[in-house]
Amino acid sequence: MASAPRHIDDIGGYIYFSNNTKGHSGKPVKIHTRLFVDLFCALDPSTNEGQMIIRDIENLRAKLSTDSLPTPAMGPIDPPRMGAGHKQRLDALRRAQRGMAEQQHMQRERTLVTQSVRVYYHINQNPGDAAPTVYISEVQIQHKRSSNAGGLYDYVSRGRGAKKLQATTNTSLNNRDVFISGATDILSDAIEEAMQVTNNPSPALFYCPSQTANDLHIGKQSRLGGDTQKLVNDLGEILNDNQRNKVAWFVKGEGAGLLSHALDKVTGALDGHSFKFDNARTQLPKLLEKLNQRKAQVSGEFLNYFQDKQALLAIVSQKQQLLEQLDALPAGSGYDKITRRYLTERISALTDNPSANQVTGQQQNLRGAASTFVGALQATHKAV
């Protein structure tokens, strides 16, 4: 079997993207089934926006520019006099050089960027492919950009008891409640939710603008764009600056994914930090493992779910690993034992949801199936 692109270890998981990309007209396009859950959440084929995204992806072509590749005349120069055997060896070297350049050129990662979507792909020709084929390894749906920048916001006194929320560089958060928002269009909506969730009239806010949802997924670990990476760096710096402080963190939606990346930048303990999550949209087992490694406080009713499709799929798709990580957390006492048992029972009950299991099961069901990726999206959206 041909080797997969350098960051894909499962070439057998690729299927045709749609009926329009099965190879006729010289444009075969395949996509990996591991992307199904994230694209199910982000793309509804029945909407105009969904159709636009599908058409953008279908316009990918497996055409290669050969201008930069060696020509048969390139390579070792023919000497003025040479024997037939020497000429055959030189020609063989030239053919090998051309073949190596073509292989490297084919498997170079490419990017398609439109107003609606960013697609990362390689061109390859694996066994069974009649022609060079587009292999999609990642799809990022582009969300509308928020007008406010992401980062840390806090209330600043304006005199006579008045306070105004504004961006701050003061990262000292000792004995503070801090809300990490989900991907949110409007800053004022995020701070209103922060006050409600923390039950505090003036919490600190780490604001995640709507475009952070481009990069933070619940299935395949996605690469981060520049804006999201800056937020990760800023949050990691805040966590490090407050390692010895007591901080209560309240985390919503995509904010959990941002936190998970930021924890990679924290080497010390966070034993004075407590964390509670509402509708966390991330790879929950990895997040809990990182918090446990840093001795953070995750106790009581710390993981809440409120009728959110992506949060439910995050739980269902990683049920067993999630339960294992819950068991690995430090054993509580008293009320914490009761809430831990309740949380385990609730996760087990949520994972019995037939509709959610139908979505998460597609990653495996589609392997080797005749159905296309778009066909499966359409059928699943209608069924659930």
Side-chain angles (χ1 to χ4, degrees):
M1 178 177 287
S3 61
R6 60 182 178 271
H7 60 294
I8 293 292
D9 56 7
D10 180 22
I11 200 72
Y14 283 95
I15 62 173
Y16 284 113
F17 178 70
S18 72
N19 286 327
N20 293 331
T21 64
K22 284 190 172 181
H24 48 281
S25 303
K27 51 176 184 179
V29 178
K30 293 182 177 181
I31 186 170
H32 206 281
T33 62
R34 72 175 64 173
L35 303 180
F36 187 86
V37 173
D38 287 318
L39 283 184
F40 175 85
C41 295
L43 192 162
D44 184 350
S46 66
T47 65
N48 289 334
E49 181 183 12
Q51 285 296 314
M52 285 177 57
I53 294 169
I54 290 170
R55 297 295 170 259
D56 285 342
I57 297 175
E58 287 179 340
N59 284 330
L60 285 166
R61 297 291 188 275
K63 293 182 179 179
L64 299 173
S65 172
T66 57
D67 296 343
S68 61
L69 298 181
T71 67
M74 295 175 67
I77 300 174
D78 291 346
R81 297 177 182 177
M82 64 176 174
H86 190 186
K87 180 172 176 54
Q88 289 178 353
R89 288 192 292 273
L90 284 179
D91 288 342
L93 283 172
R94 291 177 181 130
R95 287 193 297 272
Q97 180 188 30
R98 171 80 182 191
M100 292 174 63
E102 286 180 345
Q103 183 70 7
Q104 184 179 25
H105 188 66
M106 261 175 88
Q107 294 195 354
R108 176 175 60 84
E109 186 174 57
R110 293 163 164 79
T111 308
L112 167 74
V113 181
T114 71
Q115 186 176 358
S116 303
V117 68
R118 177 182 285 113
V119 182
Y120 295 92
Y121 66 99
H122 288 72
I123 297 173
N124 210 340
Q125 188 168 358
N126 288 294
D129 293 338
T133 299
V134 171
Y135 282 88
I136 297 173
S137 54
E138 185 169 339
V139 178
Q140 296 179 349
I141 307 302
Q142 302 299 290
H143 295 78
K144 182 180 178 181
R145 295 184 66 87
S146 301
S147 57
N148 294 100
L152 185 63
Y153 287 77
D154 206 351
Y155 283 98
V156 177
S157 176
R158 307 291 289 181
R160 295 186 178 181
K163 292 183 178 181
K164 181 181 179 180
L165 183 72
Q166 64 184 45
T168 179
T169 57
N170 179 15
T171 59
S172 178
L173 298 171
N174 191 31
N175 293 317
R176 295 292 305 277
D177 292 335
V178 187
F179 180 71
I180 305 178
S181 76
T184 310
D185 288 339
I186 303 173
L187 177 63
S188 59
D189 290 345
I191 190 59
E192 285 182 13
E193 189 168 27
M195 290 187 286
Q196 180 180 1
V197 170
T198 63
N199 196 28
N200 184 331
S202 56
L205 167 68
F206 194 92
Y207 174 56
C208 298
S210 55
Q211 61 268 23
T212 56
N214 298 355
D215 308 329
L216 300 172
H217 302 146
I218 64 174
K220 180 181 180 296
Q221 190 74 19
S222 177
R223 71 196 74 197
L224 303 180
D227 291 345
T228 306
Q229 186 62 61
K230 181 181 182 305
L231 291 179
V232 167
N233 295 340
D234 291 347
L235 184 54
E237 182 179 343
I238 291 169
L239 288 165
N240 280 314
D241 289 348
N242 289 275
Q243 276 192 29
R244 297 184 179 180
N245 293 335
K246 291 186 177 181
V247 185
W249 297 90
F250 300 82
V251 189
K252 174 76 178 295
E254 291 85 359
L258 196 78
L259 173 64
S260 185
H261 283 285
L263 286 170
D264 292 333
K265 302 183 177 299
V266 179
T267 55
L270 295 173
D271 48 310
H273 295 236
S274 65
F275 292 86
K276 293 185 182 299
F277 301 92
D278 287 348
N279 288 338
R281 298 179 175 184
T282 189
Q283 296 180 351
L284 285 167
K286 289 185 178 180
L287 173 58
L288 292 184
E289 181 180 19
K290 293 174 185 179
L291 290 172
N292 194 20
Q293 289 171 346
R294 290 157 183 80
K295 304 184 186 306
Q297 300 174 33
V298 280
S299 58
E301 299 176 10
F302 70 88
L303 186 62
N304 296 312
Y305 160 74
F306 305 107
Q307 301 301 315
D308 179 87
K309 177 174 66 176
Q310 294 190 45
L312 175 61
L313 293 176
I315 292 172
V316 173
S317 62
Q318 304 161 77
K319 170 188 175 181
Q320 193 55 44
Q321 301 96 313
L322 179 56
L323 291 175
E324 290 172 359
Q325 286 302 320
L326 286 175
D327 287 341
L329 293 175
S333 59
Y335 179 70
D336 191 40
K337 281 187 176 181
I338 298 173
T339 55
R340 183 68 54 82
R341 184 175 70 248
Y342 167 75
L343 179 59
T344 300
E345 291 173 352
R346 191 176 188 207
I347 288 174
S348 297
L350 287 172
T351 54
D352 288 334
N353 185 297
S355 295
N357 280 305
Q358 184 171 350
V359 176
T360 58
Q362 293 288 14
Q363 177 171 315
Q364 186 63 34
N365 296 340
L366 288 174
R367 296 175 63 90
S371 176
T372 66
F373 195 92
V374 171
L377 279 177
Q378 292 172 330
T380 308
H381 270 286
K382 288 180 180 178
V384 302

